[in-house]
Amino acid sequence: MRLLTRAIFAASIAVATGTALAATPATGLGQSWPNASDVSTNPNFHVYVFAMGGVQYIQVNDLNGNVLGSVGTAGGQFITLPIGRFAQQVVTPSQPASASTTAAAAATPATVYADGTTTVTATPLNDGTVRLNAMAAAQPCTDPIDCNMKGITGP
C-alpha cells in the first residue's frame, strides 16, 4: 500500500510539473530571444506569447530577433506596450499609432499571430518601419484540428 501511495504521488508530481512547464511563460517579455515558443503564423517574423494575471502579452520580433512591438490583451481589450523598435506604430482597436507618419504601406498586411480570439498583422511601410495591428479575431477558432495545429486551447 505504501508503495502504491508513493507511485501515485510521484505520478501526480510528474503530471503537475509537465503541466506547469507547458503553460505560457510569464517572463522574457522584451527579450530578443526569450525562452518561449515561437508561435508566429508567418515565417518572416517571430511571435512570443506570455501570460500573467489574466493578461496575454504578444511580442513580435523580426527575423534577427529585434523586438518590433508588443500588445497586452484581456477580455477583448488591448493595450500597446512601450517596448520594441516600432512601438509607436502599434495600432489596437482602442489606440491609434502614437506617432503619426506619412509612410505608406509597402506591402499588404501579413498575419503574424492568430489564436482564434486575437489576430496581429504586420505591415511594412515604405520608410522602413513596420506597423503592427492587433485586433479581436473575426471568428473564434471552431475547427478542432486547426485549433490544435495552432496550439489554440479554446474557442
Side-chain angles (χ1 to χ4, degrees):
M1 182 67 167
R2 186 181 228 174
L3 187 56
L4 180 60
T5 304
R6 286 183 182 176
I8 291 172
F9 178 73
S12 299
I13 293 296
V15 168
T17 303
T19 302
L21 293 176
T24 305
T27 61
L29 184 66
Q31 295 178 0
S32 292
W33 304 108
N35 188 21
S37 297
D38 181 354
V39 295
S40 179
T41 59
N42 186 298
N44 297 316
F45 295 90
H46 298 289
V47 177
Y48 305 100
V49 178
F50 307 91
M52 186 171 179
V55 178
Q56 183 179 38
Y57 300 94
I58 303 164
Q59 173 180 310
V60 180
N61 291 11
D62 66 14
L63 286 177
N64 296 318
N66 297 305
V67 180
L68 301 180
S70 183
V71 297
T73 180
Q77 299 297 311
F78 293 86
I79 187 168
T80 301
L81 303 177
I83 63 170
R85 180 178 261 174
F86 305 123
Q88 299 82 7
Q89 292 301 320
V90 176
V91 176
T92 70
S94 59
Q95 214 171 2
S98 63
S100 61
T101 181
T102 57
T108 58
T111 299
V112 297
Y113 177 75
D115 69 2
T117 58
T118 302
T119 300
V120 179
T121 62
T123 307
L125 303 179
N126 62 6
D127 65 356
T129 62
V130 176
R131 173 168 289 139
L132 298 176
N133 189 354
M135 66 206 97
Q139 296 179 0
C141 187
T142 57
D143 179 356
I145 295 171
D146 187 46
C147 296
N148 188 40
M149 287 173 37
K150 293 178 182 172
I152 301 168
T153 57

